């Protein structure tokens, strides 16, 4: 039983928990910010079927952070530059969904390879090497928290300005274009905002598991409601719960934060999926969105997604 106990103590160990918790107050604040931003922007990621794009942007964000680490520069700036570069590349190379997927499939392994190369050349602490792949728990210092706060503010302001036309264009782009919504201009703008959100996520959960915060909470919310109000609200609640809960659980263990965050996020999605399936069996079928039902004067209902 000793090996099992040792393994369990590595996953959950709450000795000196109060003292350890005091060390991660910046991480908790950063996690709450990330949950807010990720929950909101995830609604559009799911509606616009950009899950693959999130993964592609995260790889170049990781490469930018790894290059900054190698050069001794600001890692947050490197991560943001990598994310924005990826967003611009995907926006220029892939306007249509098929073209975008091909562009992401080409650029993503290149970004991951660059990141691995830069980390291989880096001779500093091993924890820094793998933190941007698997997430970090105590590495959010005051300057980094300020950077994350600024990025969060920019993303939230952009979403507030773009929310109604972007939601209209995401639900029914043809009708939105006919009503005068600049659908083609909104796509690259949203990709830039998404790039900033991904750069934030990489700092907390790492490049490999960023989907757990920018896709899973919104997908879970859409399993239980189609309301244009409650989908983003629940998505934010689920994302904040996953990040903050993962940090609180991970404080006592010796593992990266990402397994805790992704497990909570997955359990939330599984629970919402079961609730949605039970409601459907009882005849409480969610109302599908009707073509042309969205109006610019009233926010359209979001459509359920997997």
């Amino acid at each position: 039983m000793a090996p099992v106990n040792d393994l369990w103590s590595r996953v959950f160990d709450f000795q000196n928990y109060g003292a350890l918790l005091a060390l991660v107050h910046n991480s908790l604040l950063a996690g709450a910010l990330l949950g807010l931003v990720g929950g909101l922007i995830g609604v559009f990621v799911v509606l616009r079927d950009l899950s693959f794009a999130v993964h592609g942007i995260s790889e170049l964000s990781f490469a930018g952070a790894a290059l900054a680490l190698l050069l001794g520069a600001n890692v947050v700036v490197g991560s943001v530059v990598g994310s924005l570069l990826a967003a611009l590349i995907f926006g220029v190379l892939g306007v249509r969904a098929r073209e975008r997927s091909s562009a992401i499939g080409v650029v993503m392994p290149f970004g991951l390879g660059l990141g691995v190369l830069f980390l291989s050349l880096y001779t500093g602490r091993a924890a820094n090497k793998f933190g941007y792949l698997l997430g970090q728990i105590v590495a959010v210092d005051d300057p980094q928290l300020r950077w994350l706060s600024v990025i969060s503010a920019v993303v939230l302001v952009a979403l507030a300005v773009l929310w109604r036309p972007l939601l209209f264009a995401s639900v029914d782009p043809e009708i939105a274009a006919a009503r005068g919504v600049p659908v083609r201009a909104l796509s690259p703008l949203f990709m830039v905002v998404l790039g900033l959100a991904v750069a934030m996520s990489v700092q907390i959960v790492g490049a490999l598991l960023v989907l757990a915060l920018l896709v899973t909470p919104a997908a879970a919310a859409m399993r239980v409601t189609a309301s244009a109000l409650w989908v983003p609200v629940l998505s934010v609640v689920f994302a904040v719960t996953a990040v903050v809960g993962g940090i609180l659980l991970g404080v006592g263990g010796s593992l990266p934060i990402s397994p805790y965050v992704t497990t909570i996020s997955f359990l939330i999605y599984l629970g919402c999926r079961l609730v949605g399936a039970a409601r459907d069996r009882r005849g409480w079928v969610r109302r599908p969105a009707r073509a042309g039902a969205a109006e610019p004067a009233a926010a359209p209902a979001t459509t359920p997604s997997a």
Side-chain angles (χ1 to χ4, degrees), residues 17 19 34 61 75 77 99 104 107 115 130 167 217 237 248 252 291:
Y17 186 76
L34 177 58
S61 179
V75 176
V77 174
E99 295 174 352
I104 295 170
V107 175
F130 297 104
L167 185 60
V237 171
L248 292 176

Side-chain angles (χ1 to χ4, degrees), residues 66-144:
L67 178 60
L69 189 65
L70 176 63
L71 299 178
N74 189 303
V75 176
V76 177
V77 174
S79 178
V80 170
V81 170
S83 292
L84 293 180
L85 179 61
L88 292 175
I89 290 174
F90 298 155
V92 172
L93 295 182
V95 177
R96 298 179 180 177
R98 182 181 300 178
E99 295 174 352
R100 184 176 60 241
S101 296
S102 299
I104 295 170
V106 170
V107 175
M108 184 172 65
F110 174 67
L112 182 59
L114 282 180
V116 172
L117 172 63
F118 297 147
L119 288 187
S120 299
L121 295 174
Y122 177 68
T123 57
R125 295 175 60 245
N128 289 335
K129 286 188 175 184
F130 297 104
Y132 297 101
L133 277 174
L134 301 176
Q136 303 175 98
I137 187 167
V138 294
V140 181
D141 53 19
D142 290 337
Q144 193 175 25

Side-chain angles (χ1 to χ4, degrees), residues 148-205:
L148 294 177
S149 300
V150 171
I151 295 173
S152 298
V154 172
V155 173
L156 292 175
V157 170
L159 286 177
V161 173
L162 299 175
W163 189 275
R164 293 173 68 85
L166 187 60
L167 185 60
F168 191 14
S170 300
V171 173
D172 199 330
E174 290 80 11
I175 298 298
R179 296 293 181 89
V181 176
V183 175
R184 293 182 64 87
L186 284 174
S187 294
L189 286 176
F190 176 70
M191 291 298 290
V192 171
V193 176
L194 178 60
L196 292 174
V198 170
M200 286 183 58
S201 304
V202 169
Q203 307 299 315
I204 306 300
V205 298

